Amino acid sequence: MSDRQLSQGTSNTKRRRVTRACDFCHRRSIGCRPSDSSRTCQNCKDFGHQCTYHREPRRRGVQPRASSRMSSSNAINTERNQQAIDSRNDSWRAPRVASQAVIVDLIDVYFEIVYPIFPIFHQPSFTRRISRAEYMHDRALFIVVMAMCALVSRRIRDGAVSNPQWDLLSLQAVDTSTFMAHATAELASQKPASDLNTLRAHAILAITSIQTGNIKDMHFHLGLYHTLVAMDMLHDESNWPKGINAIEREERRRLFWSIYTLDIYTSVVWGGIVRCHERQSRVAYPMEIDDESLTDETADQKILVREVFSPTALRRHDNTGISVDCWVSGWNFVTDLYRVLEHALARFHRSRNKANYAGQGSLPNNIFLDESCMIPEASVADLVLQLYLDLPSCYKETPDMSFHNTRRDRIAFQAANITATLQLVRIVLLATSRGTVAARCQIAREVLDSFASIPVTYLLAISTPLLHHLGGIGSILGSVLDEPCTGSEYRLVQSIMLSMAELLENLQPIQQGSGASQSLREKASQITALIQSHGHLREADSSANEQQSGDSVWPAGTQGKGQFDTTREDPLAQVQLDLLNPLAWNFDFGQYWN
């Protein structure tokens, strides 16, 4: 009696040994073990799979001569054809990781708190596929769904979800590591491929790695993403697969620019190299149209191709300004800011190399310089400010999250992201110019005031990446305390520390009890004690350093007078040395100040 007959229940005889592997065990190259039931093997029983024997068995013994003379190319073609048939027959089945209800809810949460920053899907068509559980038969879709669930489940655990409609306890029934394990295992079992879902899976797993604090894994997945893009030259739209529809074209554009911004951001925060340069890219911006209105017909009628934006020219959009009708317009503006940030970052590294290699000869990569590097940092900052001022008010004000008006909330997300990115640009420009102590204190105050104006629900939703933005403020403070300051400037630093501590207390859910705010308060107290212990404080006239408030559109800082006659051995230097340690944020920008 054959094994197939046993699997169909035609006999109640217990299977003593397995003479032929079932389809599930054969595909995974694992031993097919008998179970107590005659209808399924033990592996299929453990994984909840249907135990089938659809695969045609190979003949035993010596092969016919005609078969042995088959060319290797024909054998390869036969194997490929069989793989295609298996794919069409949905021979692959996903393991059961979580219930359909939990997965659908996690995907919905993704579109609520992650999608406004990383809109790499077309929501209506994607959620339709999830509701039909198509990921159970599509391996690439399964991988990206597992990655999304891993990211969202971790964000939930880290306190990023404020919407009261969600049953957060049930959504944490499956641990983040379980989703991650399934996504990475299936990715490892596949040959490298640049299909859209595989690219999206690596992108989301990189973001998840930032959320979990595993920066090596972040670099690993971003590296694989960039490798797959390079293999097929996907930085140029002309190399994209032929015949893709308008929706996939827009998804690929969103993915490309999403990971471009992530690449620049990780380069700033962790000091890595930039792997994607805007000047070498030939990918248009996403169309500024809501997902619900995006179809093949509307896409053909409204093709949007942006002219190249550079820090020396104002952003133009069909000569009509930035749209307020669609949140994608604000998202595209964030990309503009990151393109400015890329050039500012290159300038920062040039200035750092010049300082580090002074007297050691010219550097090969500094021989050819474009004109933009000669523009003063102040001019670039003025350009960025003008771009911001030209925005519609909806992108400069962040109302409270409504949880029911999706369009309004997504526009508000863009306003929050624009504020955070704008301050990151200012921090990089400040690092390049190494402004005065007063200027650094002022920007630190303005950055804090900007974040304080954003409702905490959005800050929590942005989650861990936001903490790295705030780490830049710590770098500014560290640089201030590394050199002689006026007494009033030390007090200003102290007030900034206390304001930062207050902001961090509001973000306590996403810090996992790091105690950063309490540590800042303790250091502020140390500064008070050190100031009081210095009897040689000399008040002096420093009117040349007074704040020029004028018509500044930024929240003005405050300054005072007084001078410490301090040295490197002064106890105040100890405050600077361990300023960033208790924050436990891997913001490597601080090392470049010294």
Side-chain angles (χ1 to χ4, degrees):
M1 182 177 296
S2 69
D3 288 333
R4 183 179 298 181
Q5 289 174 319
L6 286 173
S7 70
Q8 295 171 346
T10 56
S11 171
N12 292 326
T13 304
K14 182 177 179 181
R15 183 163 49 185
R16 296 181 179 275
R17 70 184 184 91
V18 175
T19 58
R20 177 184 166 203
C22 68
D23 297 333
F24 176 80
C25 295
H26 175 76
R27 283 195 304 272
R28 287 156 179 77
S29 300
I30 58 178
C32 192
R33 302 173 295 144
S35 68
D36 295 336
S37 171
S38 61
R39 296 180 178 274
T40 180
C41 72
Q42 189 62 44
N43 292 331
C44 290
K45 182 178 180 181
D46 292 341
F47 286 95
H49 281 269
Q50 182 181 4
C51 196
T52 61
Y53 291 82
H54 299 316
R55 177 180 56 87
E56 291 296 329
R58 294 182 179 179
R59 294 183 178 180
R60 298 178 180 272
V62 180
Q63 299 296 318
R65 289 185 178 181
S67 177
S68 64
R69 289 195 299 267
M70 179 183 294
S71 67
S72 60
S73 61
N74 288 339
I76 293 174
N77 290 335
T78 301
E79 180 179 357
R80 289 177 177 173
N81 291 337
Q82 185 61 48
Q83 291 176 350
I85 293 173
D86 290 343
S87 177
R88 289 195 296 270
N89 291 336
D90 290 332
S91 58
W92 180 85
R93 292 294 184 96
R96 178 182 169 84
V97 182
S99 68
Q100 169 73 354
V102 168
I103 288 179
V104 168
D105 283 350
L106 288 174
I107 298 301
D108 285 344
V109 175
Y110 178 95
F111 282 102
E112 182 177 290
I113 67 170
V114 182
Y115 179 77
I117 308 298
F118 295 99
I120 58 179
F121 302 94
H122 176 252
Q123 184 176 0
S125 59
F126 188 83
T127 54
R128 188 182 308 116
R129 298 190 67 186
I130 301 304
S131 66
R132 296 175 179 176
E134 293 184 20
Y135 60 88
M136 294 299 294
H137 305 281
D138 186 326
R139 178 177 288 176
L141 181 60
F142 171 79
I143 294 172
V144 78
V145 167
M146 291 296 101
M148 295 170 73
C149 290
L151 174 57
V152 173
S153 65
R154 180 64 187 220
R155 288 272 176 101
I156 291 174
R157 173 191 164 185
D158 291 347
V161 179
S162 305
N163 191 339
Q165 86 169 58
W166 299 113
D167 181 2
L168 300 183
L169 187 60
S170 66
L171 294 182
Q172 297 181 73
V174 180
D175 189 70
T176 299
S177 60
T178 302
F179 289 119
M180 286 281 285
H182 282 280
T184 54
E186 292 294 343
L187 273 175
S189 68
Q190 298 275 74
K191 291 183 178 179
S194 59
D195 63 277
L196 180 57
N197 276 333
T198 299
L199 291 173
R200 290 194 287 207
H202 283 300
I204 296 174
L205 288 172
I207 300 168
T208 307
S209 298
I210 295 176
Q211 191 70 33
T212 59
N214 195 330
I215 306 308
K216 286 188 176 180
D217 279 359
M218 176 203 72
H219 286 301
F220 173 78
H221 288 291
L222 279 181
L224 287 176
Y225 167 87
H226 288 295
T227 297
L228 295 175
V229 168
M231 285 170 55
D232 291 331
M233 304 287 284
L234 299 182
H235 64 280
D236 189 335
E237 284 194 19
S238 64
N239 297 320
W240 290 359
K242 306 301 181 183
I244 60 175
N245 59 27
I247 290 177
E248 181 173 341
R249 183 177 67 240
E250 291 305 306
E251 287 178 316
R252 284 179 175 270
R253 288 174 176 173
R254 294 180 181 184
L255 175 64
F256 179 86
W257 289 113
S258 288
I259 304 308
Y260 168 79
T261 61
L262 184 62
D263 187 35
I264 302 302
Y265 173 80
T266 57
S267 179
V268 172
V269 173
W270 287 283
I273 63 172
V274 175
R275 286 168 281 197
C276 181
H277 297 276
E278 59 101 9
R279 290 186 176 180
Q280 297 176 310
S281 303
R282 296 294 181 269
V283 177
Y285 274 21
M287 293 172 53
E288 296 180 356
I289 183 173
D290 287 324
D291 282 4
E292 291 73 17
S293 303
L294 177 59
T295 64
D296 289 343
E297 291 75 18
T298 57
D300 291 337
Q301 296 170 5
K302 188 180 179 182
I303 298 296
L304 175 63
V305 179
R306 296 287 188 84
E307 62 182 26
V308 175
F309 173 84
S310 71
T312 60
L314 292 178
R315 176 178 182 266
R316 288 175 289 177
H317 169 47
D318 293 344
N319 296 320
T320 59
I322 297 179
S323 170
V324 298
D325 297 327
C326 177
W327 60 273
V328 181
S329 178
W331 188 85
N332 283 339
F333 180 79
V334 174
T335 304
D336 283 344
L337 290 179
Y338 271 99
R339 294 172 79 167
V340 176
L341 183 57
E342 179 194 341
H343 293 277
L345 185 62
R347 177 180 303 201
F348 167 76
H349 286 300
R350 280 195 293 266
S351 65
R352 182 166 61 93
N353 288 340
K354 183 178 180 180
N356 291 343
Y357 292 92
Q360 300 182 25
S362 61
L363 295 177
N365 63 341
N366 283 345
I367 293 178
F368 302 103
L369 300 177
D370 54 53
E371 294 181 358
S372 64
C373 73
M374 308 305 294
I375 302 173
E377 284 77 15
S379 298
V380 179
D382 290 342
L383 167 65
V384 172
L385 174 58
Q386 188 60 52
L387 293 174
Y388 177 77
L389 292 175
D390 290 341
L391 285 174
S393 60
C394 65
Y395 294 121
K396 292 184 286 187
E397 302 169 356
T398 311
D400 291 331
M401 194 177 295
S402 68
F403 300 117
H404 63 272
N405 188 332
T406 302
R407 177 182 174 277
R408 177 177 174 270
D409 287 347
R410 285 181 179 171
I411 289 177
F413 257 110
Q414 305 318 309
N417 199 21
I418 286 171
T419 297
T421 307
L422 182 65
Q423 302 309 330
L424 189 60
V425 172
R426 299 185 72 206
I427 289 172
V428 174
L429 291 174
L430 178 68
T432 305
S433 63
R434 192 176 176 85
T436 65
V437 170
R440 279 173 274 170
C441 287
Q442 179 188 355
I443 287 188
R445 166 61 64 190
E446 291 169 359
V447 170
L448 280 173
D449 289 345
S450 297
F451 279 111
S453 69
I454 302 174
V456 70
T457 49
Y458 294 98
L459 300 180
L460 292 175
I462 296 174
S463 199
T464 300
L466 175 68
L467 299 180
H468 297 294
H469 279 282
L470 298 178
I473 304 173
S475 299
I476 295 175
L477 297 181
S479 72
V480 169
L481 292 176
D482 192 36
E483 56 190 75
C485 302
T486 66
S488 296
E489 285 168 347
Y490 274 116
R491 294 186 179 94
L492 178 57
V493 170
Q494 182 186 50
S495 71
I496 293 173
M497 280 185 170
L498 294 174
S499 296
M500 189 173 181
E502 182 178 353
L503 177 59
L504 290 174
E505 285 169 354
N506 293 331
L507 302 177
Q508 193 64 36
I510 61 176
Q511 296 183 65
Q512 296 298 307
S514 66
S517 58
Q518 180 60 33
S519 179
L520 280 173
R521 292 189 183 278
E522 292 174 357
K523 293 184 182 304
S525 298
Q526 292 177 25
I527 292 179
T528 299
L530 290 168
I531 289 176
Q532 292 174 350
S533 68
H534 279 67
H536 55 281
L537 175 61
R538 296 183 289 106
E539 293 294 337
D541 183 9
S542 55
S543 57
N545 295 326
E546 289 183 357
Q547 174 66 33
Q548 301 295 326
S549 57
D551 298 325
S552 174
V553 298
W554 304 106
T558 58
Q559 281 188 283
K561 304 175 182 179
Q563 178 69 40
F564 272 124
D565 183 17
T566 183
T567 65
R568 289 284 182 175
E569 288 71 29
D570 192 281
L572 281 169
Q574 299 174 7
V575 180
Q576 186 275 331
L577 291 177
D578 63 352
L579 176 66
L580 295 179
N581 292 341
L583 303 183
W585 301 332
N586 194 9
F587 198 102
D588 290 337
F589 223 13
Q591 65 180 311
Y592 301 140
W593 286 104
N594 299 323

